Amino acid sequence: MSTDFIPNQNNNPKKQRIKSIKGSPEAVINTIYGLCALGYSKVSDWSPLQPTGIPGQVISFATKSSTWR
């Protein structure tokens, strides 16, 4: 059974999750500031707004690390 698991080569217990917000520029900015107010992230954690290819829609990404024990 122990061969079913791949050992963590770095012995790093942190797991990273990528989050994204997609919508109109105003909606994305308001959501980022709302998440900031809730203590979820900082404004600087989010990438600059990027076009999605859909007119009027943008996307922003953030990486959140958490420790798993």
Side-chain angles (χ1 to χ4, degrees), residues 18-45:
I18 298 175
K19 298 292 183 184
S20 64
I21 303 171
K22 184 169 49 171
S24 70
E26 296 81 15
V28 173
I29 290 168
N30 288 339
T31 302
I32 289 171
Y33 281 116
L35 291 170
C36 243
L38 294 171
Y40 178 80
S41 63
K42 300 176 197 169
V43 172
S44 62
D45 292 340

Side-chain angles (χ1 to χ4, degrees), residues 7-67:
N8 185 349
Q9 299 296 329
N10 299 334
N11 291 325
N12 185 352
K14 288 189 177 185
K15 173 126 177 139
Q16 290 189 340
R17 294 184 290 166
I18 298 175
K19 298 292 183 184
S20 64
I21 303 171
K22 184 169 49 171
S24 70
E26 296 81 15
V28 173
I29 290 168
N30 288 339
T31 302
I32 289 171
Y33 281 116
L35 291 170
C36 243
L38 294 171
Y40 178 80
S41 63
K42 300 176 197 169
V43 172
S44 62
D45 292 340
W46 293 91
S47 69
L49 301 182
Q50 302 292 318
T52 64
I54 299 172
Q57 189 178 72
V58 297
I59 192 166
S60 182
F61 297 94
T63 302
K64 184 144 177 96
S65 298
S66 59
T67 303

